[in-house]
Amino acid sequence: MPLNIEFIRLRCGRNEIHYFQSVGSTMTEAQWLAETGAPHGTVVLADEQTAGIGRLGRSWISDAEAGIYCSVLLDLALQAEDIPIASLLVGLATAEAIEKSTQLACDLRWPNDVLIQERKTAGILTQLLDSRIVAGIGINVNQTSFPPNLRTPATSLRIESNGRVQAREEIVIRLLEAIDTFSHVLASGGTGAILRAFTAASRYAIHRRVVVEENGCNGTTAGLDRHGFLLLRTDDGHVQRIASGGIRPA
Ligand code: BTN
């Protein structure tokens, strides 16, 4: 069934919501809206993406009516060096929305994977447009299977809840609420409040043996620096700042 977009609009009166039954990528539409002066909180939602974009030039599988494909325009007043905080903020919001709607416990893997039982159930992509941020959120909701050769093992909320079909509208509504809540946390508590929340919510942030995907470097995570980059204590005792790419369990 397509999203009940009128129900979502009714519940999310503060967001200007643009809906597509099928679109190339919600990111492209949101960028265009940003360029034409759309306000903070503008949302692009689609039931299907034919060219969904993932991080690091990868694609994002976006089967019709199975997942949530959403981009949100954010004016967070972050300094340029603190832009990684935006991605952490949206990750926190996504995990909260999933947990509140499904009661499934989520983990966050820096910079922006949302995991359930070590499998990826949502991903976040942030793009900077002048001083504005376009945050793309993809959540695997009602998929029943995934291709076997994915780089990161994937799961869906349906798979993790023993086959229970999940209402995508409920999750979208909670996601937009949670983005709003964490944007206020940032505005009132500063970047430190988001860094603390992420560190508390992520079992990957500290004392976790990982491999850096980009260079194969092994080490133990040592928290986040003040701009939201991951710190890694390598096996020779040096602390390295991981600025891009991702990590996986060692
Ligand atoms: C990742 O690689 O983990 C990030 C995936 C982000 C996917 C979402 S789906 C909605 C938005 N539109 C896109 O084309 N990509 C993002």
Side-chain angles (χ1 to χ4, degrees):
M1 238 194 314
L3 279 169
N4 183 342
I5 198 69
E6 288 317 321
F7 178 65
I8 295 174
R9 284 199 176 112
L10 204 65
R11 294 277 303 274
C12 304
R14 284 200 290 203
N15 299 89
E16 179 182 305
I17 299 179
H18 299 253
Y19 167 75
F20 296 84
Q21 191 177 13
S22 180
V23 75
S25 163
T26 58
M27 294 307 278
T28 318
E29 299 301 325
Q31 282 159 10
W32 183 82
L33 286 163
E35 280 159 10
T36 55
H40 167 87
T42 298
V43 175
V44 180
L45 264 174
D47 263 314
E48 177 189 40
Q49 296 186 120
T50 54
I53 307 165
R55 287 181 64 240
L56 309 171
R58 296 172 191 155
S59 55
W60 185 259
I61 303 171
S62 308
D63 294 343
E65 300 174 13
I68 291 169
Y69 317 116
C70 175
S71 293
V72 187
L73 187 54
L74 300 171
D75 291 329
L76 294 174
L78 283 167
Q79 301 292 318
E81 64 270 24
D82 292 332
I83 294 301
I85 306 274
S87 181
L88 307 182
L89 182 156
V90 177
L92 281 163
T94 306
E96 180 171 297
I98 293 173
E99 288 179 346
K100 282 191 172 168
S101 324
T102 65
Q103 278 73 54
L104 292 165
C106 294
D107 192 9
L108 291 165
R109 183 169 62 200
W110 186 92
N112 51 21
D113 290 343
V114 181
L115 309 175
I116 297 179
Q117 309 278 12
E118 289 297 327
R119 290 177 172 264
K120 183 160 169 168
T121 194
I124 287 115
L125 175 70
T126 48
Q127 294 177 342
L128 190 62
L129 259 184
D130 300 322
S131 60
R132 317 186 77 190
I133 288 155
V134 179
I137 305 114
I139 308 178
N140 299 330
V141 181
N142 286 322
Q143 290 89 341
T144 51
S145 64
F146 292 91
N149 53 349
L150 292 178
R151 289 174 67 97
T152 310
T155 191
S156 72
L157 303 180
R158 179 170 175 181
I159 293 170
E160 294 303 321
S161 53
N162 298 320
R164 184 173 166 198
V165 176
Q166 301 288 343
R168 290 180 301 146
E169 291 82 357
E170 168 83 11
I171 301 165
V172 170
I173 291 162
R174 290 200 188 262
L175 173 65
L176 298 180
E177 278 171 7
I179 290 176
D180 206 33
T181 303
F182 280 105
S183 300
H184 283 106
V185 169
L186 174 66
S188 58
T191 52
I194 298 297
L195 293 170
R196 283 190 294 278
F198 189 92
T199 306
S202 168
R203 290 165 60 208
Y204 273 86
I206 308 181
H207 304 318
R208 185 72 183 258
R209 291 287 304 167
V210 296
V211 185
V212 179
E213 282 186 334
E214 210 171 41
N215 56 16
C217 189
N218 278 272
T220 305
T221 57
L224 304 175
D225 78 359
R226 66 195 173 96
H227 303 301
F229 293 110
L230 183 68
L231 299 172
L232 183 77
R233 189 175 300 281
T234 55
D235 292 346
D236 60 7
H238 288 98
V239 175
Q240 226 181 65
R241 190 174 97 140
I242 313 298
S244 63
I247 53 170
R248 56 182 163 78

